[in-house]
């Protein structure tokens, strides 16, 4: 064999061996990187409190702790979280009703107390996890410390915003907005009569939906629904696209201006929830459907249309959070049976028909357990007559 051919063959063999070694090295390095990443992910997900955070906090504050712009304050970078687990636990035990400032933004909503739903150990684990992950703290909070906190704040009620948190705990959380004891919204005498006393043979809105639009049992919560959505429902009742004889009678004589003013009133209300799980639904299944859907049945997540935390996407997709469980379940059943068909492209009809009775109860109960729509930054005290 000619020596140039031999030299070429030897060189080709050396190149092949070197390439194989480099490839094996790259594969090994990639495998190491994957292993390290997997371990880091496992370490984070297995830290006590992480599962509780995903179930109880991420729905509102989001999995990355960045919150919802204009509605839910972030945990990441929050001066409140930076104070450590004891303050976080105190907030979990008491809740917040009123405005707080985080960074350059003011958030004015309702954070429920978890005192009745979480044990001392769970409060400690959750507060520790949040302070470690989002506040960079290293302290931990044990169940005995939480028990002492619980006893101290048992009769205190919710914090009246960030100002009370700073004043009562001495937390260094920066300048906080004052708490103003007021709810919404000025009304003309005519609209006030429609809502609270009725007109002629028409009964008052409040007689069924409550003075503050919170609803009850199979009567829906109206507080926080988008005004355009409410007006559309009025028109759908009148035109028969949505069937409810009581509602048709009530709204059939309203002028367009009256429809708008009543709708604006309810849209601007920000009041606590009186809804609760009451149908015996599986809350874990309801949470799964709300957050992730069930693609084995072609059911998208509720929140993919109705917005983060179920706070709605105006004007087409109303808030689901804090809606009465019986009402939600009945509406899903109505879409399933074709008794309600005023959803664009029959979207809700198609989704509802894929859900079992148990699924409808589960998601309705889960949504009823959520806090209501918070006020936006510019809606701390909203007055209808102040619109530009």
């Amino acid at each position: 064999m000619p020596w140039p051919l031999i030299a070429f063959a030897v060189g080709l063999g050396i190149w092949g061996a070197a390439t194989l070694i480099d490839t094996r090295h790259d594969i090994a390095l990639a495998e190491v990187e994957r292993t390290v990443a997997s371990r880091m992910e496992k370490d984070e997900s297995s830290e006590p409190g992480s599962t509780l955070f995903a179930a109880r906090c991420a729905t509102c504050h989001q999995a990355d702790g960045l919150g919802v712009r204009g509605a839910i304050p972030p945990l990441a970078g929050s001066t409140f979280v930076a104070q450590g687990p004891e303050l976080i636990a105190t907030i979990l035990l008491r809740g917040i009703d009123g405005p707080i400032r985080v960074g350059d933004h003011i958030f004015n909503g309702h954070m429920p107390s978890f005192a009745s739903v979480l044990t001392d150990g769970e409060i400690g684990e959750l507060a520790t996890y949040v302070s470690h992950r989002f506040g960079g703290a290293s302290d931990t909070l044990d169940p005995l410390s939480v028990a002492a906190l619980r006893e101290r704040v048992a009769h205190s009620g919710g914090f009246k915003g960030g100002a009370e948190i700073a004043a009562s705990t001495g937390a260094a959380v920066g300048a906080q907005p004052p708490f103003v004891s007021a709810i919404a919204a000025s009304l003309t005498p005519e609209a006030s009569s429609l809502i609270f006393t009725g007109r002629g043979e028409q009964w008052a809105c409040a007689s069924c939906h409550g003075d503050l639009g919170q609803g009850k049992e199979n009567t829906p919560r109206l507080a926080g629904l988008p005004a355009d959505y409410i007006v559309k429902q009025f028109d759908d009742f009148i035109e028969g696209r949505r069937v409810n004889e009581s509602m048709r009678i009530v709204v059939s004589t309203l002028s367009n201006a009256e429809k708008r003013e009543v709708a604006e009133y309810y849209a601007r209300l920000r009041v606590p929830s009186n809804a609760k799980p009451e149908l015996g639904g599986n809350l874990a299944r309801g949470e799964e459907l709300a957050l992730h859907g069930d693609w084995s049945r072609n059911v998208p997540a509720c929140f993919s249309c109705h917005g983060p935390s179920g706070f709605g996407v105006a004007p087409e997709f109303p808030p689901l959070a804090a809606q009465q469980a019986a009402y939600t379940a009945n509406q899903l059943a109505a879409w399933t049976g074709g008794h309600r068909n005023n959803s664009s492209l029959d979207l809700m009809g198609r989704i509802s028909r894929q859900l079992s009775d148990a699924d409808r109860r589960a998601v309705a109960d889960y949504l009823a357990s959520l806090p209501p729509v918070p006020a936006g930054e510019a809606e701390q005290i909203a007055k209808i007559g102040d619109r530009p």
Side-chain angles (χ1 to χ4, degrees), residues 150-184:
R150 186 188 293 272
E151 186 175 353
R152 225 166 38 234
V153 305
H155 304 291
S156 300
F159 282 112
K160 301 304 182 187
E164 185 184 356
I165 295 175
S168 64
T169 68
V173 293
Q176 293 294 316
F179 175 80
V180 180
S181 181
I183 300 177

PDB file of all heavy atoms in Angstrom, residues 150-184:
ATOM      1  N   ARG A 150     -49.799  33.623  67.104  1.00  0.00           N
ATOM      2  CA  ARG A 150     -51.236  33.432  66.927  1.00  0.00           C
ATOM      3  C   ARG A 150     -52.004  33.936  68.158  1.00  0.00           C
ATOM      4  O   ARG A 150     -53.043  34.595  68.031  1.00  0.00           O
ATOM      5  CB  ARG A 150     -51.527  31.953  66.677  1.00  0.00           C
ATOM      6  CG  ARG A 150     -52.993  31.651  66.340  1.00  0.00           C
ATOM      7  CD  ARG A 150     -53.233  30.160  66.308  1.00  0.00           C
ATOM      8  NE  ARG A 150     -52.555  29.493  65.227  1.00  0.00           N
ATOM      9  CZ  ARG A 150     -53.050  29.325  64.008  1.00  0.00           C
ATOM     10  NH1 ARG A 150     -54.249  29.798  63.715  1.00  0.00           N
ATOM     11  NH2 ARG A 150     -52.360  28.663  63.077  1.00  0.00           N
ATOM     12  N   GLU A 151     -51.516  33.621  69.332  1.00  0.00           N
ATOM     13  CA  GLU A 151     -52.182  34.056  70.561  1.00  0.00           C
ATOM     14  C   GLU A 151     -52.172  35.574  70.687  1.00  0.00           C
ATOM     15  O   GLU A 151     -53.145  36.184  71.126  1.00  0.00           O
ATOM     16  CB  GLU A 151     -51.499  33.417  71.768  1.00  0.00           C
ATOM     17  CG  GLU A 151     -52.207  33.700  73.080  1.00  0.00           C
ATOM     18  CD  GLU A 151     -51.588  32.949  74.250  1.00  0.00           C
ATOM     19  OE1 GLU A 151     -50.685  32.100  74.009  1.00  0.00           O
ATOM     20  OE2 GLU A 151     -51.989  33.209  75.395  1.00  0.00           O
ATOM     21  N   ARG A 152     -51.066  36.177  70.239  1.00  0.00           N
ATOM     22  CA  ARG A 152     -50.930  37.627  70.360  1.00  0.00           C
ATOM     23  C   ARG A 152     -51.881  38.380  69.428  1.00  0.00           C
ATOM     24  O   ARG A 152     -52.368  39.461  69.767  1.00  0.00           O
ATOM     25  CB  ARG A 152     -49.484  38.012  70.039  1.00  0.00           C
ATOM     26  CG  ARG A 152     -48.931  38.995  71.013  1.00  0.00           C
ATOM     27  CD  ARG A 152     -47.446  39.195  70.990  1.00  0.00           C
ATOM     28  NE  ARG A 152     -46.771  39.182  69.732  1.00  0.00           N
ATOM     29  CZ  ARG A 152     -45.738  38.400  69.454  1.00  0.00           C
ATOM     30  NH1 ARG A 152     -45.305  37.540  70.344  1.00  0.00           N
ATOM     31  NH2 ARG A 152     -45.146  38.449  68.280  1.00  0.00           N
ATOM     32  N   VAL A 153     -52.133  37.831  68.235  1.00  0.00           N
ATOM     33  CA  VAL A 153     -52.910  38.562  67.233  1.00  0.00           C
ATOM     34  C   VAL A 153     -54.311  38.000  67.051  1.00  0.00           C
ATOM     35  O   VAL A 153     -55.034  38.402  66.145  1.00  0.00           O
ATOM     36  CB  VAL A 153     -52.183  38.577  65.870  1.00  0.00           C
ATOM     37  CG1 VAL A 153     -50.775  39.127  66.024  1.00  0.00           C
ATOM     38  CG2 VAL A 153     -52.148  37.179  65.239  1.00  0.00           C
ATOM     39  N   ALA A 154     -54.715  37.089  67.936  1.00  0.00           N
ATOM     40  CA  ALA A 154     -55.960  36.343  67.738  1.00  0.00           C
ATOM     41  C   ALA A 154     -57.178  37.241  67.530  1.00  0.00           C
ATOM     42  O   ALA A 154     -58.075  36.907  66.772  1.00  0.00           O
ATOM     43  CB  ALA A 154     -56.194  35.399  68.919  1.00  0.00           C
ATOM     44  N   HIS A 155     -57.222  38.389  68.201  1.00  0.00           N
ATOM     45  CA  HIS A 155     -58.410  39.247  68.125  1.00  0.00           C
ATOM     46  C   HIS A 155     -58.108  40.585  67.435  1.00  0.00           C
ATOM     47  O   HIS A 155     -58.854  41.560  67.618  1.00  0.00           O
ATOM     48  CB  HIS A 155     -58.956  39.494  69.533  1.00  0.00           C
ATOM     49  CG  HIS A 155     -59.264  38.235  70.280  1.00  0.00           C
ATOM     50  ND1 HIS A 155     -60.305  37.396  69.936  1.00  0.00           N
ATOM     51  CD2 HIS A 155     -58.650  37.653  71.339  1.00  0.00           C
ATOM     52  CE1 HIS A 155     -60.329  36.364  70.758  1.00  0.00           C
ATOM     53  NE2 HIS A 155     -59.344  36.485  71.622  1.00  0.00           N
ATOM     54  N   SER A 156     -57.061  40.610  66.629  1.00  0.00           N
ATOM     55  CA  SER A 156     -56.632  41.882  66.047  1.00  0.00           C
ATOM     56  C   SER A 156     -57.324  42.211  64.735  1.00  0.00           C
ATOM     57  O   SER A 156     -57.390  43.375  64.339  1.00  0.00           O
ATOM     58  CB  SER A 156     -55.115  41.877  65.828  1.00  0.00           C
ATOM     59  OG  SER A 156     -54.426  41.696  67.048  1.00  0.00           O
ATOM     60  N   GLY A 157     -57.823  41.203  64.015  1.00  0.00           N
ATOM     61  CA  GLY A 157     -58.408  41.476  62.709  1.00  0.00           C
ATOM     62  C   GLY A 157     -57.339  41.749  61.670  1.00  0.00           C
ATOM     63  O   GLY A 157     -56.127  41.740  61.952  1.00  0.00           O
ATOM     64  N   GLY A 158     -57.771  41.996  60.433  1.00  0.00           N
ATOM     65  CA  GLY A 158     -56.827  42.246  59.351  1.00  0.00           C
ATOM     66  C   GLY A 158     -56.085  43.558  59.524  1.00  0.00           C
ATOM     67  O   GLY A 158     -56.617  44.525  60.083  1.00  0.00           O
ATOM     68  N   PHE A 159     -54.843  43.601  59.052  1.00  0.00           N
ATOM     69  CA  PHE A 159     -54.098  44.861  59.027  1.00  0.00           C
ATOM     70  C   PHE A 159     -54.820  45.854  58.131  1.00  0.00           C
ATOM     71  O   PHE A 159     -55.248  45.515  57.027  1.00  0.00           O
ATOM     72  CB  PHE A 159     -52.684  44.649  58.488  1.00  0.00           C
ATOM     73  CG  PHE A 159     -51.718  44.047  59.462  1.00  0.00           C
ATOM     74  CD1 PHE A 159     -51.222  42.768  59.257  1.00  0.00           C
ATOM     75  CD2 PHE A 159     -51.285  44.762  60.558  1.00  0.00           C
ATOM     76  CE1 PHE A 159     -50.308  42.206  60.146  1.00  0.00           C
ATOM     77  CE2 PHE A 159     -50.367  44.213  61.459  1.00  0.00           C
ATOM     78  CZ  PHE A 159     -49.883  42.927  61.244  1.00  0.00           C
ATOM     79  N   LYS A 160     -54.938  47.107  58.577  1.00  0.00           N
ATOM     80  CA  LYS A 160     -55.520  48.153  57.754  1.00  0.00           C
ATOM     81  C   LYS A 160     -54.442  48.760  56.861  1.00  0.00           C
ATOM     82  O   LYS A 160     -54.058  49.920  56.981  1.00  0.00           O
ATOM     83  CB  LYS A 160     -56.180  49.226  58.628  1.00  0.00           C
ATOM     84  CG  LYS A 160     -57.273  48.712  59.540  1.00  0.00           C
ATOM     85  CD  LYS A 160     -58.363  47.972  58.778  1.00  0.00           C
ATOM     86  CE  LYS A 160     -59.472  47.498  59.681  1.00  0.00           C
ATOM     87  NZ  LYS A 160     -60.446  46.642  58.957  1.00  0.00           N
ATOM     88  N   GLY A 161     -53.918  47.928  55.992  1.00  0.00           N
ATOM     89  CA  GLY A 161     -52.928  48.379  55.035  1.00  0.00           C
ATOM     90  C   GLY A 161     -51.514  48.405  55.585  1.00  0.00           C
ATOM     91  O   GLY A 161     -51.245  48.043  56.739  1.00  0.00           O
ATOM     92  N   GLY A 162     -50.595  48.867  54.738  1.00  0.00           N
ATOM     93  CA  GLY A 162     -49.188  48.893  55.094  1.00  0.00           C
ATOM     94  C   GLY A 162     -48.861  49.843  56.222  1.00  0.00           C
ATOM     95  O   GLY A 162     -47.900  49.624  56.981  1.00  0.00           O
ATOM     96  N   ALA A 163     -49.672  50.908  56.363  1.00  0.00           N
ATOM     97  CA  ALA A 163     -49.398  51.878  57.430  1.00  0.00           C
ATOM     98  C   ALA A 163     -49.535  51.227  58.801  1.00  0.00           C
ATOM     99  O   ALA A 163     -48.721  51.461  59.702  1.00  0.00           O
ATOM    100  CB  ALA A 163     -50.344  53.071  57.307  1.00  0.00           C
ATOM    101  N   GLU A 164     -50.556  50.386  58.985  1.00  0.00           N
ATOM    102  CA  GLU A 164     -50.725  49.726  60.280  1.00  0.00           C
ATOM    103  C   GLU A 164     -49.655  48.661  60.498  1.00  0.00           C
ATOM    104  O   GLU A 164     -49.189  48.454  61.624  1.00  0.00           O
ATOM    105  CB  GLU A 164     -52.105  49.089  60.411  1.00  0.00           C
ATOM    106  CG  GLU A 164     -52.323  48.516  61.815  1.00  0.00           C
ATOM    107  CD  GLU A 164     -53.639  47.785  61.987  1.00  0.00           C
ATOM    108  OE1 GLU A 164     -54.456  47.767  61.046  1.00  0.00           O
ATOM    109  OE2 GLU A 164     -53.845  47.217  63.067  1.00  0.00           O
ATOM    110  N   ILE A 165     -49.251  47.978  59.428  1.00  0.00           N
ATOM    111  CA  ILE A 165     -48.177  47.001  59.571  1.00  0.00           C
ATOM    112  C   ILE A 165     -46.920  47.684  60.100  1.00  0.00           C
ATOM    113  O   ILE A 165     -46.281  47.209  61.044  1.00  0.00           O
ATOM    114  CB  ILE A 165     -47.888  46.304  58.233  1.00  0.00           C
ATOM    115  CG1 ILE A 165     -49.096  45.466  57.794  1.00  0.00           C
ATOM    116  CG2 ILE A 165     -46.649  45.412  58.337  1.00  0.00           C
ATOM    117  CD1 ILE A 165     -48.935  44.832  56.422  1.00  0.00           C
ATOM    118  N   ALA A 166     -46.574  48.822  59.499  1.00  0.00           N
ATOM    119  CA  ALA A 166     -45.376  49.544  59.933  1.00  0.00           C
ATOM    120  C   ALA A 166     -45.519  50.052  61.359  1.00  0.00           C
ATOM    121  O   ALA A 166     -44.590  49.945  62.173  1.00  0.00           O
ATOM    122  CB  ALA A 166     -45.108  50.695  58.974  1.00  0.00           C
ATOM    123  N   ALA A 167     -46.698  50.600  61.690  1.00  0.00           N
ATOM    124  CA  ALA A 167     -46.878  51.203  63.008  1.00  0.00           C
ATOM    125  C   ALA A 167     -46.921  50.165  64.120  1.00  0.00           C
ATOM    126  O   ALA A 167     -46.376  50.379  65.206  1.00  0.00           O
ATOM    127  CB  ALA A 167     -48.166  52.031  63.017  1.00  0.00           C
ATOM    128  N   SER A 168     -47.572  49.031  63.865  1.00  0.00           N
ATOM    129  CA  SER A 168     -47.785  48.066  64.945  1.00  0.00           C
ATOM    130  C   SER A 168     -46.642  47.076  65.107  1.00  0.00           C
ATOM    131  O   SER A 168     -46.493  46.475  66.170  1.00  0.00           O
ATOM    132  CB  SER A 168     -49.088  47.298  64.712  1.00  0.00           C
ATOM    133  OG  SER A 168     -49.010  46.531  63.524  1.00  0.00           O
ATOM    134  N   THR A 169     -45.827  46.914  64.067  1.00  0.00           N
ATOM    135  CA  THR A 169     -44.734  45.948  64.157  1.00  0.00           C
ATOM    136  C   THR A 169     -43.358  46.594  64.145  1.00  0.00           C
ATOM    137  O   THR A 169     -42.367  45.929  64.438  1.00  0.00           O
ATOM    138  CB  THR A 169     -44.796  44.941  62.995  1.00  0.00           C
ATOM    139  OG1 THR A 169     -44.513  45.616  61.756  1.00  0.00           O
ATOM    140  CG2 THR A 169     -46.164  44.275  62.913  1.00  0.00           C
ATOM    141  N   GLY A 170     -43.291  47.876  63.784  1.00  0.00           N
ATOM    142  CA  GLY A 170     -41.993  48.548  63.685  1.00  0.00           C
ATOM    143  C   GLY A 170     -41.201  48.128  62.462  1.00  0.00           C
ATOM    144  O   GLY A 170     -40.002  48.414  62.365  1.00  0.00           O
ATOM    145  N   ALA A 171     -41.865  47.474  61.491  1.00  0.00           N
ATOM    146  CA  ALA A 171     -41.163  47.003  60.297  1.00  0.00           C
ATOM    147  C   ALA A 171     -40.716  48.177  59.440  1.00  0.00           C
ATOM    148  O   ALA A 171     -41.457  49.145  59.239  1.00  0.00           O
ATOM    149  CB  ALA A 171     -42.074  46.086  59.490  1.00  0.00           C
ATOM    150  N   ALA A 172     -39.490  48.087  58.920  1.00  0.00           N
ATOM    151  CA  ALA A 172     -38.940  49.124  58.048  1.00  0.00           C
ATOM    152  C   ALA A 172     -39.379  48.841  56.618  1.00  0.00           C
ATOM    153  O   ALA A 172     -38.665  48.225  55.832  1.00  0.00           O
ATOM    154  CB  ALA A 172     -37.417  49.148  58.162  1.00  0.00           C
ATOM    155  N   VAL A 173     -40.591  49.295  56.278  1.00  0.00           N
ATOM    156  CA  VAL A 173     -41.159  48.987  54.962  1.00  0.00           C
ATOM    157  C   VAL A 173     -41.356  50.234  54.117  1.00  0.00           C
ATOM    158  O   VAL A 173     -42.035  50.189  53.088  1.00  0.00           O
ATOM    159  CB  VAL A 173     -42.497  48.235  55.119  1.00  0.00           C
ATOM    160  CG1 VAL A 173     -42.275  46.857  55.703  1.00  0.00           C
ATOM    161  CG2 VAL A 173     -43.483  49.028  55.982  1.00  0.00           C
ATOM    162  N   GLY A 174     -40.773  51.342  54.510  1.00  0.00           N
ATOM    163  CA  GLY A 174     -40.878  52.555  53.724  1.00  0.00           C
ATOM    164  C   GLY A 174     -42.211  53.264  53.941  1.00  0.00           C
ATOM    165  O   GLY A 174     -43.075  52.800  54.678  1.00  0.00           O
ATOM    166  N   ALA A 175     -42.362  54.418  53.294  1.00  0.00           N
ATOM    167  CA  ALA A 175     -43.587  55.215  53.424  1.00  0.00           C
ATOM    168  C   ALA A 175     -44.780  54.427  52.897  1.00  0.00           C
ATOM    169  O   ALA A 175     -44.719  53.807  51.834  1.00  0.00           O
ATOM    170  CB  ALA A 175     -43.437  56.519  52.651  1.00  0.00           C
ATOM    171  N   GLN A 176     -45.869  54.447  53.663  1.00  0.00           N
ATOM    172  CA  GLN A 176     -47.062  53.695  53.307  1.00  0.00           C
ATOM    173  C   GLN A 176     -48.268  54.627  53.195  1.00  0.00           C
ATOM    174  O   GLN A 176     -48.369  55.612  53.924  1.00  0.00           O
ATOM    175  CB  GLN A 176     -47.342  52.616  54.352  1.00  0.00           C
ATOM    176  CG  GLN A 176     -46.292  51.523  54.392  1.00  0.00           C
ATOM    177  CD  GLN A 176     -46.270  50.703  53.103  1.00  0.00           C
ATOM    178  OE1 GLN A 176     -47.308  50.323  52.579  1.00  0.00           O
ATOM    179  NE2 GLN A 176     -45.064  50.452  52.599  1.00  0.00           N
ATOM    180  N   PRO A 177     -49.195  54.324  52.281  1.00  0.00           N
ATOM    181  CA  PRO A 177     -50.387  55.173  52.130  1.00  0.00           C
ATOM    182  C   PRO A 177     -51.316  55.012  53.314  1.00  0.00           C
ATOM    183  O   PRO A 177     -51.374  53.945  53.938  1.00  0.00           O
ATOM    184  CB  PRO A 177     -51.035  54.634  50.844  1.00  0.00           C
ATOM    185  CG  PRO A 177     -50.573  53.218  50.750  1.00  0.00           C
ATOM    186  CD  PRO A 177     -49.179  53.208  51.327  1.00  0.00           C
ATOM    187  N   PRO A 178     -52.072  56.050  53.651  1.00  0.00           N
ATOM    188  CA  PRO A 178     -53.011  55.953  54.780  1.00  0.00           C
ATOM    189  C   PRO A 178     -54.203  55.074  54.429  1.00  0.00           C
ATOM    190  O   PRO A 178     -54.579  54.953  53.263  1.00  0.00           O
ATOM    191  CB  PRO A 178     -53.443  57.406  55.003  1.00  0.00           C
ATOM    192  CG  PRO A 178     -53.302  58.036  53.648  1.00  0.00           C
ATOM    193  CD  PRO A 178     -52.094  57.387  53.020  1.00  0.00           C
ATOM    194  N   PHE A 179     -54.786  54.484  55.442  1.00  0.00           N
ATOM    195  CA  PHE A 179     -56.017  53.715  55.253  1.00  0.00           C
ATOM    196  C   PHE A 179     -57.202  54.666  55.299  1.00  0.00           C
ATOM    197  O   PHE A 179     -57.299  55.509  56.192  1.00  0.00           O
ATOM    198  CB  PHE A 179     -56.155  52.655  56.343  1.00  0.00           C
ATOM    199  CG  PHE A 179     -57.456  51.904  56.294  1.00  0.00           C
ATOM    200  CD1 PHE A 179     -57.630  50.874  55.387  1.00  0.00           C
ATOM    201  CD2 PHE A 179     -58.502  52.231  57.145  1.00  0.00           C
ATOM    202  CE1 PHE A 179     -58.836  50.179  55.326  1.00  0.00           C
ATOM    203  CE2 PHE A 179     -59.697  51.534  57.101  1.00  0.00           C
ATOM    204  CZ  PHE A 179     -59.858  50.507  56.182  1.00  0.00           C
ATOM    205  N   VAL A 180     -58.089  54.550  54.324  1.00  0.00           N
ATOM    206  CA  VAL A 180     -59.292  55.376  54.275  1.00  0.00           C
ATOM    207  C   VAL A 180     -60.495  54.461  54.387  1.00  0.00           C
ATOM    208  O   VAL A 180     -60.664  53.551  53.570  1.00  0.00           O
ATOM    209  CB  VAL A 180     -59.373  56.200  52.972  1.00  0.00           C
ATOM    210  CG1 VAL A 180     -60.641  57.042  52.945  1.00  0.00           C
ATOM    211  CG2 VAL A 180     -58.143  57.068  52.819  1.00  0.00           C
ATOM    212  N   SER A 181     -61.326  54.675  55.379  1.00  0.00           N
ATOM    213  CA  SER A 181     -62.478  53.818  55.605  1.00  0.00           C
ATOM    214  C   SER A 181     -63.629  54.268  54.711  1.00  0.00           C
ATOM    215  O   SER A 181     -64.454  55.079  55.076  1.00  0.00           O
ATOM    216  CB  SER A 181     -62.918  53.867  57.068  1.00  0.00           C
ATOM    217  OG  SER A 181     -64.014  53.016  57.270  1.00  0.00           O
ATOM    218  N   ALA A 182     -63.639  53.731  53.503  1.00  0.00           N
ATOM    219  CA  ALA A 182     -64.702  54.018  52.540  1.00  0.00           C
ATOM    220  C   ALA A 182     -64.699  52.920  51.505  1.00  0.00           C
ATOM    221  O   ALA A 182     -63.705  52.239  51.320  1.00  0.00           O
ATOM    222  CB  ALA A 182     -64.494  55.384  51.879  1.00  0.00           C
ATOM    223  N   ILE A 183     -65.820  52.742  50.806  1.00  0.00           N
ATOM    224  CA  ILE A 183     -65.874  51.667  49.811  1.00  0.00           C
ATOM    225  C   ILE A 183     -66.026  52.258  48.418  1.00  0.00           C
ATOM    226  O   ILE A 183     -65.160  52.407  47.682  1.00  0.00           O
ATOM    227  CB  ILE A 183     -67.014  50.674  50.120  1.00  0.00           C
ATOM    228  CG1 ILE A 183     -66.787  50.064  51.505  1.00  0.00           C
ATOM    229  CG2 ILE A 183     -67.032  49.552  49.101  1.00  0.00           C
ATOM    230  CD1 ILE A 183     -67.877  49.128  51.966  1.00  0.00           C
ATOM    231  N   ALA A 184     -67.076  52.542  47.862  1.00  0.00           N
ATOM    232  CA  ALA A 184     -67.180  53.069  46.522  1.00  0.00           C
ATOM    233  C   ALA A 184     -68.150  54.205  46.586  1.00  0.00           C
ATOM    234  O   ALA A 184     -68.159  54.872  47.581  1.00  0.00           O
ATOM    235  CB  ALA A 184     -67.580  51.963  45.552  1.00  0.00           C
TER     236      ALA A 184
END
